[in-house]
Amino acid sequence: MSRVRCSGREKSIADCAHPGWWIVSSYCSNKDLAGVVCQTNEDPPPVQVRLAGGRSDNSGRLEVRYHGQWGTVCDDGWDMKEAEVVCRMLGYPGVQEHITTNFTPVKGIVWLRYVGCTGRETSIADCSHRGWGNTNCYHNEDVGVTCKMG
């Protein structure tokens, strides 16, 4: 197989888009072989969230800690449902607003893009997304949240 395109939701690589079996592009060689490292069926690593760079503890740029590294979340597709999940993770009773404005620039990874929550999840890690670290966003697209005070 060559030029395989998967969304990440397929049950088998055979369900991914590709030009056809045994059709190999002329630019493929043994150095182009693909490999993977699989995660076991153990529980995924815990995900932490915090708000940074805001005017108060309940407001700021969303930062997510995944595999021990803090990063941000892109504002593509972000709305109140996702913000609701984040505020609940932080112990607030709800969301006041989601913010898609620039914060003080930061360095590091943008962890998530196109996060899709129903609003009932207990963790942002339970929401759909394009994959951890699979973004082409810049930090001027970092999302923020203002949570309701108890």
Side-chain angles (χ1 to χ4, degrees), residues 1-7 10 12-25 27-28:
M1 293 175 75
S2 66
R3 297 188 320 219
V4 178
R5 294 282 199 218
C6 300
S7 70
E10 297 84 0
S12 166
I13 195 167
D15 298 331
C16 299
H18 58 87
W21 292 99
W22 304 107
I23 298 174
V24 179
S25 299
Y27 59 82
C28 286

Side-chain angles (χ1 to χ4, degrees), residues 12-72:
S12 166
I13 195 167
D15 298 331
C16 299
H18 58 87
W21 292 99
W22 304 107
I23 298 174
V24 179
S25 299
S26 60
Y27 59 82
C28 286
S29 69
N30 284 342
K31 67 179 173 61
D32 297 314
L33 295 175
V36 297
V37 176
C38 297
Q39 185 176 349
T40 65
N41 287 335
E42 298 172 7
D43 290 335
V47 171
Q48 295 173 288
V49 295
R50 67 183 178 192
L51 301 177
R55 293 192 171 125
S56 61
D57 290 343
N58 68 314
S59 183
R61 174 187 49 255
L62 174 60
E63 295 183 352
V64 179
R65 187 170 188 224
Y66 180 70
H67 281 294
Q69 183 178 357
W70 286 101
T72 61

